[in-house]
Amino acid sequence: MEEKKLDINSIIGFVLIFGILIFMFYQNRPTPEELEAQKAKQEQVEAQAEKEETPLLSEEEAPIAIDLQDSTAIANYKGAIGAFGYTTPNDGITTLENELVTLKIDNKGGEIIEAKMRNFVTFDSVPVYLVKDGNASFGLNFTTSDNRVLNTRDLYFEPTMSKNGDNQVLSMKAKVAADKFLEYRYEMKPNDYLVDFTIRSQGLNGVINSSKPVQLEWKLKGIRHSKSIQYENRYTRLTYNHEDGKISKLSEGKDDEETEEDVKWLSYRQHFFSSILATEEHFKKAELSSQNLVEEESRTFGYTKVYDSKVPLEMNGGELSQNMHWYYGPTDVDVLKHYEELGLEDSIPFGWGIFGWINRYVFTPFYTFLSSYLPYGIAIVIMTILVRLAMSPVTYKSYLSQAKMKVLKPEITELGEKYKDNAMKKQQETMKLYNKAGVSPMSGCVPAFLQMPIFYALFMFFPTSFALRQKSFLWADDLSSFDTIYQFPEGFSIPFYGDHISLFPILASVAIFFYMMMTTGQNMPQQPGMPNMKFIMYLMPFMMLFFFNNYASGLSLYYFVSNLITIGIMLVIKNFILDDDKIHAQIQENKQKPKKENKFQRKMREMMEQAEEQKKTGKK
């Protein structure tokens, strides 16, 4: 019986290919003079891009600017806004702050102009800001009874701070009289990311033209927080809850827009952090858009996407009343699950269908449990071991199928030689052999198919698990991002690979290669007219090396450990559990038993016989 041997020629070939590529990258690396020129050019391009960058608001949308020291300018401003000129223009910022988040609200517009996370920093140790330096705008567009079209971003609000128990309450009022006003009310609780937000009016029936729509518009330009802007941008999306709990998203890679009905909340997700506006009454309609700003990897570009939502608000009895909530905080399941009544946990990208279910209800709580007792990297290793042990019966079935195919290989080869000039006959006889021996060539695919939900769930888990953010393990300083053992000089990047070398993807690719050697190398016959499947399967680890170089190092760590464990399990199965002689004897015994065709096998046989008969008739 043929003994499986390690294909040393394949190993040498891949080592040579890798060496040639490294040599080519080395030979084509830029000189110091070229690097300096590229750096100067890059700085020039980025400076020009900053100048030409589309502002968040167009000139028509930008708030009216006035000089508060100029009495004439103030008078002109009051004349332009009509009845709302009752409120004296007054510059000022009010701060709401608890243990988790700091919000700054401007008197002009009554909107949040800064949202700072108190307990988190970016990849370069700068505090995480979700709103800062004019990257967001919030306002109401409405028409007055004297046909003025106003935006609350042009109005000055009077702030009043108070307490509701332990809660901080900020009332911002744009007045048309002492007891007539438009109010934004913010209420911040201790140790909570969620801020209650109410829009209401009092005595404005007859001031606001209720026959024309009042439109809420919220814009935000996502601020970069991660070292790879392309990677962060991949998980930066506008997500929304609508139509009785349906969760939808705009495109993550291109500009997109939608008009939806019955919207419960809008989430401007920025990978690991989210800005969410939720409403208790539901928005009957919302026009949503997302503009992608990232075209290529950059170490300095500061923004990912521009989000825009336009929502018409209904008036009752000529007055506004809308109860809402602002959420500025981490996209973390442990935090968002506390807002079950709003369903904010659904804004986390667990994945779709059964894959998302596995991620949400199995891997996320399981890893949370492990990491509460173990270091984060060790928790990944332990989870990997337990997952692979749980899947070992599937691995056994897969390897058993391969062992049976290996035993039949000499007979299949003999059939190939016997019917080398008649492919149809060879296929018929091969299927008869499989049927007699009780072997299905597809049986090895079923275990692989069963593992696909696990594969995809973990593929989504590692890049989006907040628990891994900025958690280090060995040389990786952040398990939610790529590990770097060598950074190429500035301006030098390998196409499809990146500007750095990550070690965990190299280790994972090597482990995948040896796994492929054990599983496909022993039983991958070359079919005439078909591509070389061995080459394709061996090429996969090389492709994975490029793909994982810019992916979460936690995922590469998982695949490295997972393939090592799988290789170990397969060696145990091969050397201590399966016996090729017993398998051969069982197959020979199966051949002697009468076999009954199922409907599918009978149909396939009849089709092949019909095709063979037509072929003979055609020759005559």
Side-chain angles (χ1 to χ4, degrees):
M1 188 171 295
E2 180 186 2
E3 184 177 348
K4 176 177 168 293
K5 296 181 180 179
L6 187 66
D7 188 354
I8 191 67
N9 292 328
S10 297
I11 298 176
I12 293 172
F14 272 94
V15 170
L16 289 175
I17 291 172
F18 187 73
I20 291 169
L21 289 172
I22 293 297
F23 177 75
M24 290 173 60
F25 296 149
Y26 179 80
Q27 286 293 101
N28 295 323
R29 75 191 192 283
T31 64
E33 293 77 13
E34 290 174 331
L35 285 174
E36 192 64 33
Q38 289 176 358
K39 183 178 179 181
K41 183 179 179 180
Q42 181 68 17
E43 290 176 351
Q44 181 180 357
V45 169
E46 290 176 353
Q48 184 67 21
E50 288 181 4
K51 291 180 181 179
E52 297 178 355
E53 185 181 328
T54 304
L56 182 66
L57 299 173
S58 65
E59 292 184 6
E60 293 78 10
E61 296 173 318
I64 300 173
I66 62 172
D67 183 358
L68 297 185
Q69 305 301 317
D70 186 339
S71 58
T72 301
I74 293 176
N76 291 337
Y77 162 76
K78 288 189 172 186
I81 63 173
F84 283 93
Y86 179 88
T87 302
T88 303
N90 55 332
D91 283 336
I93 294 173
T94 306
T95 300
L96 293 175
E97 185 175 54
N98 61 18
E99 299 84 349
L100 304 176
V101 62
T102 297
L103 300 180
K104 292 186 178 181
I105 296 92
D106 197 346
N107 287 355
K108 189 173 184 182
E111 62 179 320
I112 297 170
I113 60 169
E114 186 172 293
K116 172 186 174 183
M117 303 293 98
R118 299 195 62 185
N119 301 321
F120 301 105
V121 296
T122 65
F123 71 102
D124 51 358
S125 301
V126 175
V128 170
Y129 288 91
L130 302 184
V131 179
K132 193 176 189 292
D133 297 334
N135 77 308
S137 69
F138 178 88
L140 304 181
N141 289 293
F142 60 92
T143 303
T144 62
S145 56
D146 55 358
N147 290 322
R148 300 173 192 268
V149 179
L150 301 181
N151 190 304
T152 55
R153 301 189 75 243
D154 295 322
L155 306 180
Y156 281 91
F157 288 69
E158 291 184 5
T160 303
M161 284 287 291
S162 61
K163 284 279 191 177
N164 180 16
D166 293 331
N167 300 348
Q168 304 169 62
V169 178
L170 172 62
S171 172
M172 306 288 289
K173 293 179 179 178
K175 297 181 177 180
V176 300
D179 58 348
K180 298 179 180 180
F181 50 81
L182 174 66
E183 180 186 28
Y184 289 171
R185 184 180 184 276
Y186 301 87
E187 183 167 347
M188 175 180 276
K189 309 174 190 68
N191 203 38
D192 199 334
Y193 290 104
L194 198 71
V195 176
D196 296 337
F197 177 61
T198 301
I199 298 176
R200 75 179 189 96
S201 65
Q202 179 175 300
L204 298 188
N205 184 13
V207 176
I208 297 177
N209 187 345
S210 58
S211 66
K212 294 187 177 181
V214 176
Q215 182 169 265
L216 178 157
E217 182 168 13
W218 176 33
K219 288 188 175 184
L220 184 140
K221 184 160 61 172
I223 300 172
R224 173 188 190 161
H225 300 134
S226 301
K227 59 183 176 181
S228 171
I229 193 168
Q230 282 189 319
Y231 184 72
E232 179 177 6
N233 193 53
R234 188 182 303 160
Y235 300 98
T236 296
R237 300 182 75 172
L238 194 162
T239 306
Y240 51 97
N241 180 311
H242 66 116
E243 296 179 4
D244 296 326
K246 182 179 178 181
I247 307 298
S248 299
K249 310 173 185 68
L250 296 188
S251 173
E252 79 276 14
K254 60 182 180 180
D255 297 352
D256 196 7
E257 59 183 31
E258 290 287 349
T259 298
E260 301 289 1
E261 297 180 351
D262 187 33
V263 176
K264 183 177 181 179
W265 49 254
L266 302 166
S267 172
Y268 291 176
R269 190 174 74 240
Q270 299 164 242
H271 197 183
F272 284 124
F273 296 91
S274 295
S275 305
I276 303 176
L277 179 62
T279 176
E280 295 180 3
E281 291 82 10
H282 293 205
F283 301 129
K284 289 192 174 180
K285 181 181 177 182
E287 297 176 11
L288 313 173
S289 69
S290 174
Q291 178 187 355
N292 185 41
L293 301 179
V294 178
E295 296 182 358
E296 60 184 15
E297 189 62 75
S298 169
R299 298 184 188 180
T300 57
F301 193 72
Y303 300 97
T304 54
K305 286 183 173 70
V306 173
Y307 299 126
D308 188 6
S309 298
K310 296 181 176 69
V311 179
L313 300 181
E314 292 188 335
M315 300 187 72
N316 295 314
E319 301 287 357
L320 283 170
S321 180
Q322 190 84 31
N323 296 318
M324 295 179 283
H325 308 274
W326 285 112
Y327 175 87
Y328 290 102
T331 315
D332 183 2
V333 62
D334 288 337
V335 175
L336 293 176
K337 69 182 180 183
H338 294 298
Y339 310 113
E340 184 178 356
E341 69 282 359
L342 297 174
L344 301 188
E345 188 180 357
D346 294 331
S347 67
I348 299 175
F350 292 109
W352 59 273
I354 188 170
F355 311 112
W357 188 93
I358 294 172
N359 193 359
R360 182 171 185 169
Y361 296 108
V362 179
F363 287 128
T364 296
F366 184 44
Y367 182 77
T368 299
F369 170 76
L370 290 176
S371 59
S372 64
Y373 295 98
L374 300 168
Y376 289 89
I378 299 298
I380 291 177
V381 174
I382 298 301
M383 184 173 77
T384 307
I385 294 172
L386 295 176
V387 169
R388 293 318 305 170
L389 289 177
M391 298 299 293
S392 58
V394 178
T395 304
Y396 172 78
K397 288 287 186 182
S398 178
Y399 197 86
L400 176 60
S401 174
Q402 294 168 22
K404 289 180 178 179
M405 295 295 291
K406 176 186 171 184
V407 169
L408 285 177
K409 187 175 180 181
E411 295 180 60
I412 295 173
T413 302
E414 183 179 340
L415 289 174
E417 289 295 326
K418 184 177 180 180
Y419 301 104
K420 61 182 178 181
D421 297 326
N422 190 336
M424 184 67 69
K425 186 65 175 178
K426 183 181 72 172
Q427 188 67 20
Q428 284 181 300
E429 294 301 320
T430 302
M431 290 187 66
K432 286 181 181 178
L433 175 63
Y434 287 150
N435 189 38
K436 286 183 179 180
V439 175
S440 172
M442 297 299 295
S443 61
C445 300
V446 174
F449 179 77
L450 292 175
Q451 295 183 72
M452 285 301 296
I454 305 297
F455 174 88
Y456 183 79
L458 289 167
F459 185 80
M460 291 298 298
F461 169 77
F462 286 102
T464 59
S465 174
F466 190 86
L468 293 174
R469 182 180 182 269
Q470 296 183 348
K471 301 301 189 301
S472 61
F473 180 65
L474 299 177
W475 56 85
D477 56 7
D478 186 350
L479 287 168
S480 70
S481 185
F482 54 81
D483 60 300
T484 304
I485 59 169
Y486 180 73
Q487 184 74 50
F488 293 137
E490 189 171 351
F492 178 67
S493 179
I494 299 173
F496 306 108
Y497 186 73
D499 61 356
H500 64 279
I501 296 176
S502 299
L503 182 54
F504 274 130
I506 295 175
L507 296 175
S509 296
V510 170
I512 292 172
F513 172 75
F514 281 99
Y515 170 73
M516 291 293 183
M517 291 289 298
M518 293 183 65
T519 56
T520 62
Q522 66 174 354
N523 186 36
M524 186 66 71
Q526 175 65 35
Q527 299 292 336
M530 297 295 289
N532 191 323
M533 294 304 294
K534 275 191 177 183
F535 175 76
I536 292 175
M537 297 305 291
Y538 290 154
L539 184 63
M540 181 181 172
F542 191 70
M543 296 171 61
M544 298 294 277
L545 175 65
F546 276 72
F547 179 79
F548 282 121
N549 192 60
N550 293 288
Y551 226 75
S553 55
L555 184 63
S556 299
L557 170 62
Y558 169 81
Y559 282 119
F560 171 57
V561 177
S562 177
N563 281 280
L564 284 183
I565 296 170
T566 304
I567 289 171
I569 291 174
M570 292 178 70
L571 288 173
V572 170
I573 292 172
K574 176 183 181 296
N575 295 311
F576 300 101
I577 299 177
L578 293 183
D579 187 321
D580 286 354
D581 293 333
K582 289 183 178 180
I583 292 174
H584 184 267
Q586 182 64 50
I587 288 177
Q588 298 308 316
E589 183 181 337
N590 290 343
K591 287 181 182 180
Q592 306 304 318
K593 297 177 181 178
K595 291 291 179 181
K596 185 178 180 181
E597 290 181 319
N598 58 38
K599 290 183 179 180
F600 176 75
Q601 290 172 328
R602 185 174 68 252
K603 188 68 175 176
M604 288 295 295
R605 178 179 56 78
E606 290 173 352
M607 289 173 61
M608 287 183 179
E609 289 175 352
Q610 185 179 4
E612 182 70 16
E613 188 63 31
Q614 289 175 352
K615 185 178 179 181
K616 290 179 180 178
T617 304
K619 286 183 178 180
K620 293 179 180 179

